[in-house]
Amino acid sequence: MSYLMGIDLGTSSVKVIIIDEEGRILARGSEKYPILTPAPGWAEQDPAQWWLATKNAIRKVLKSSDLKKEEIRAIGFSGQMHGTVLLDKFLKPLRPAIIWADARSSPQCAEIRKKLGEERIAEILCNPIMPGFTAPSLLWVKENEPSIFEKVHKVVLPKDYIRLKLTGVLATDFSDASATLLFDVRRRRWSGEIISDLGFQEDFFPEPHESIEMVGEISGEVAKETLLPKGVEIVVGGGDSPVSAVGCGLIKAGMTSVNIGSAGQVFVVLEELKMDPKLRVHTFCHAVPNMWYMQGAILSAGIALDWFIEKLGLKNLLEQAGIDPYSKLIEEASLVPPGSEGLIFLPYLLGERSPHMDPDARGAFLGLNLIHGRAHLIRAVMEGVAFALRDSLEILKELGITVGEIIIRGGGGRIKLWRQIIADVFNCRIMTVAVEEAAFGAALLAGIGAKIYRNFEDAIRKTVRTCLSNEPTSQREIYDRLYMIYKSLYPALREYFHNLASIQRQRIHH
C-alpha cells in the first residue's frame, strides 16, 4: 500500500494529512501561526514561522500513526494565494511576507491601473487590480523599502517557499502564478511585458509547472528535521482554492462550489477561458492542466464569525464557564427566525473584493433595535456572508454560466445552520463531500504525479465521496427580499465608507 501526504499552508495554520490510495485519512495534524499587523490594514507573516510550524506538523503526523513512513510515495502542496515572499541571493527571506489580507497597496493599485490601462489589464491579466496581490505588494516594497527591494533575488508564493525548504528547488505552478497580477492568464505564462512595465525583472519569478509535476525530493538534512524518509518525491502543487476544488472533485467544466473559509469564494470550472468584462470576479488557471476557473471572492467569511465571537469577548466568557462558544452561539442563532428579524450585516471587515473591489468598504449592521440580542447578531453575520457570496453567484449567472447543485467546502460548510442558509439564499441544493480540505486535494495531486492514479478522473472516482445535502426551503422568499435590500446598501454607503477610511488613515499618519 502506498501513502500520500498533503500539506496546506493556510492563513492561520498549516495542515498536514496522510491518505491511502482510496482516500482514507490515516493521520492528520496542524500547527498555528499568527498574522502580524505592524500597522492598521497591514497583514504579514514570518516565513520562518511557516517553516517551523510545517516541520512540527509533519513530525506530529508521523508520530501519531503506526503506518510505515517509508511507504509515503509522494507529497503535494496547497497554500494561501497572492502572498509575496522576497528572497535574497542566498534564498533567505528579506522581510516578513505580505499576505493576501494586506490592504496597504491601494496607491500602488491605482498606479498600476494608470500605467497598464484597462484594455491590457483585461486582455493579459484577466483580473482586477487589488491590494494583497503580489504585483501591488511588490511595487509597495519597491517604492517604500528600496534598500530591501534592491536585494531581491527571487519572489515566491507562500507554499513555494515551504517546498523550497523541503527540496532546495525553486518552482511555482500555473494556478498560483496566475493570481499574482504578473501572469498572462490567457496564454499561461509570465507576462514579461507587465513585469517590465512595473519595474521588475522577469528572472525574479520561478518557472511555472503543472500542479502534478514532480519538482524535487526530500533531502537528507530535511529528512532528519522532519522525520520524513529521504528521497520522497514532491509535486509542485497549487493555490489553496483550486487544490481544495480538486479534493472535492471539481475538475470538469461547469462544476461549482462555495467556500466558507477565513475568506469566501464562489468557484466554477471553465474548459475555455472566460472573464467578466467588468472585472468584478477573477479568472485564474486551474490546478487541472489546460483548465481555468472563475471565482468571486469575499475577504471576510469565517473571519467575520471569528471576529464577532472573539473580539466581543464572547469566546473567553463562555470558555471560562466551560462552554464551547461556537456550538453554543450557533445553537442560539438557529433559534432566531430566518432574516434575523430585519437585521442585515455587511461583512466588509477587510474591505471587499467581488463585486465591489473596494479596500475601503467597511462592515456594518443595519436595522438594529431593542428586540435584537447576540443570537440575532450571530445569525445576521452568517446571513450577511451568504448574501455577499450570492453577489458573485449572480455575476456568474449574468455571464451565462449555468449553476446546478453546489459543493460547499471550508470550515463554515461543516456548520449545519450555515449550509441551510446558503441553500436558501442561493436557492439551490448544497452538497458536501466526506473530506473537503485543501490538504486532501494536495495529496491527490501527489498521487496523480506519482502515477498512483492514471489521471484526475481516476483519482476522484477512487477517493471523493459525496455526502449530505441541504435543499432550499420556503425561507428563500424572505432571503430574496432581504438580498434586494442588501445589494442596495453598498452603493448607498460607499461615500461614507471612503470618508471613514480617510479619517482612519489620517489618524494613523499623525
Side-chain angles (χ1 to χ4, degrees):
M1 175 65 75
S2 295
Y3 304 132
L4 301 165
M5 177 177 283
I7 299 174
D8 173 41
L9 189 79
T11 302
S12 57
S13 65
V14 62
K15 302 174 187 68
V16 178
I17 66 170
I18 297 176
I19 66 171
D20 65 15
E21 295 175 26
E22 295 179 352
R24 289 184 289 256
I25 295 179
L26 306 176
R28 61 171 14 127
S30 66
E31 285 282 320
K32 292 186 175 183
Y33 35 74
I35 296 176
L36 310 174
T37 53
W42 291 26
E44 301 182 343
Q45 288 181 322
D46 182 357
Q49 289 186 318
W50 288 342
W51 175 229
L52 179 61
T54 301
K55 289 190 294 184
N56 288 342
I58 291 171
R59 288 196 294 261
K60 182 188 295 185
V61 165
L62 293 175
K63 288 179 178 178
S64 70
S65 66
D66 56 5
L67 59 84
K68 295 178 181 178
K69 64 181 184 179
E70 291 75 22
E71 294 184 0
I72 297 174
R73 278 280 301 280
I75 300 171
F77 276 91
S78 159
Q80 53 170 295
M81 300 169 71
H82 318 302
T84 305
V85 186
L86 307 181
L87 305 178
D88 64 16
K89 63 182 179 181
F90 303 107
L91 303 182
K92 305 290 186 185
L94 287 161
R95 68 176 319 286
I98 300 174
I99 67 169
W100 62 271
D102 191 276
R104 79 185 74 178
S105 58
S106 289
Q108 286 70 34
C109 289
E111 186 179 337
I112 292 170
R113 290 187 201 103
K114 183 177 180 181
K115 186 169 288 189
L116 300 184
E118 290 182 11
E119 187 174 326
R120 281 205 299 162
I121 290 171
E123 168 62 24
I124 299 173
L125 303 178
C126 300
N127 284 286
I129 308 298
M130 289 296 293
F133 282 64
T134 310
S137 294
L138 186 56
L139 189 58
W140 184 92
V141 174
K142 183 175 186 285
E143 294 176 353
N144 292 274
E145 298 176 346
S147 60
I148 288 177
F149 184 81
E150 67 184 16
K151 297 174 186 173
V152 172
H153 177 64
K154 292 292 178 184
V155 180
V156 299
L157 290 144
K159 64 113 174 44
D160 298 328
Y161 176 74
I162 297 302
R163 196 184 51 256
L164 168 66
K165 295 293 289 183
L166 286 169
T167 66
V169 176
L170 274 168
T172 193
D173 73 290
F174 293 107
S175 74
D176 232 355
S178 69
T180 60
L181 300 178
L182 295 163
F183 198 78
D184 188 330
V185 177
R186 196 178 302 274
R187 297 167 187 84
R188 301 173 78 92
R189 65 190 183 202
W190 291 112
S191 174
E193 174 187 340
I194 300 293
I195 289 169
S196 175
D197 284 355
L198 297 183
F200 309 143
Q201 298 174 31
E202 194 167 354
D203 64 3
F204 279 175
F205 307 98
E207 179 185 354
H209 299 261
E210 295 293 358
S211 294
I212 54 174
E213 278 188 58
M214 294 292 185
V215 291
E217 60 182 40
I218 297 295
S219 68
E221 183 179 339
V222 169
K224 292 176 184 175
E225 289 187 75
T226 61
L227 304 181
L228 284 165
K230 180 182 176 182
V232 175
E233 291 187 298
I234 295 181
V235 299
V236 68
D240 55 3
S241 188
V243 173
S244 176
V246 167
C248 294
L250 299 166
I251 60 171
K252 294 183 178 179
M255 289 183 164
T256 307
S257 73
V258 58
N259 178 49
I260 304 177
S262 298
Q265 299 90 27
V266 176
F267 177 110
V268 63
V269 181
L270 306 171
E271 61 184 354
E272 294 182 358
L273 184 138
K274 180 180 284 194
M275 57 164 292
D276 175 20
K278 297 179 183 178
L279 297 179
R280 296 164 295 176
V281 295
H282 305 278
T283 299
F284 300 132
C285 299
H286 201 351
V288 181
N290 300 312
M291 301 283 278
W292 291 264
Y293 65 95
M294 190 172 281
Q295 177 173 278
I298 67 171
L299 292 176
S300 301
I303 280 178
L305 188 63
D306 292 343
W307 161 78
F308 188 87
I309 291 175
E310 295 178 15
K311 289 293 180 73
L312 299 188
L314 297 173
K315 186 173 187 287
N316 289 339
L317 186 68
L318 291 169
E319 283 181 342
Q320 288 169 8
I323 299 169
D324 175 27
Y326 284 84
S327 297
K328 170 65 174 172
L329 293 169
I330 289 167
E331 180 185 359
E332 290 181 6
S334 69
L335 302 177
V336 171
S340 302
E341 298 195 272
L343 182 62
I344 292 177
F345 175 69
L346 303 183
Y348 309 146
L349 302 178
L350 290 166
E352 191 54 297
R353 289 198 183 148
S354 302
H356 309 305
M357 300 299 168
D358 185 358
D360 287 343
R362 292 292 183 264
F365 282 102
L366 186 79
L368 279 168
N369 62 37
L370 289 176
I371 68 167
H372 293 125
R374 71 184 188 188
H376 292 83
L377 273 70
I378 288 284
R379 185 171 187 122
V381 167
M382 299 170 80
E383 292 172 341
V385 168
F387 291 144
L389 290 165
R390 178 169 166 177
D391 277 341
S392 295
L393 183 73
E394 296 298 325
I395 293 168
L396 298 182
K397 291 179 179 178
E398 178 189 321
L399 295 172
I401 295 171
T402 302
V403 176
E405 64 185 28
I406 294 178
I407 298 288
I408 195 166
R409 49 195 176 104
R414 292 190 283 273
I415 298 172
K416 181 179 179 181
L417 174 61
W418 221 338
R419 288 200 308 272
Q420 189 59 55
I421 289 170
I422 292 286
D424 288 331
V425 170
F426 281 30
N427 190 24
C428 68
R429 175 186 291 171
I430 300 297
M431 306 291 292
T432 63
V433 290
V435 184
E436 43 70 40
E437 56 194 279
F440 184 77
L444 296 188
L445 294 177
I448 298 166
K451 303 292 191 291
I452 288 172
Y453 309 116
R454 293 193 305 276
N455 49 37
F456 280 84
E457 290 79 5
D458 185 44
I460 301 308
R461 185 173 59 255
K462 290 178 177 175
T463 64
V464 177
R465 287 170 281 280
T466 303
C467 301
L468 305 170
S469 68
N470 288 71
E471 301 284 350
T473 69
S474 60
Q475 306 299 341
R476 66 181 184 273
E477 295 172 8
I478 182 67
Y479 283 131
D480 282 344
R481 290 175 59 196
L482 286 168
Y483 176 69
M484 296 306 290
I485 299 170
Y486 173 90
K487 72 176 188 176
S488 71
L489 293 177
Y490 170 81
L493 296 172
R494 181 178 182 276
E495 181 181 348
Y496 301 106
F497 289 153
H498 287 210
N499 289 339
L500 290 168
S502 176
I503 290 169
Q504 186 182 39
R505 281 193 289 269
Q506 288 173 5
R507 182 170 174 269
I508 293 164
H509 182 71
H510 293 300

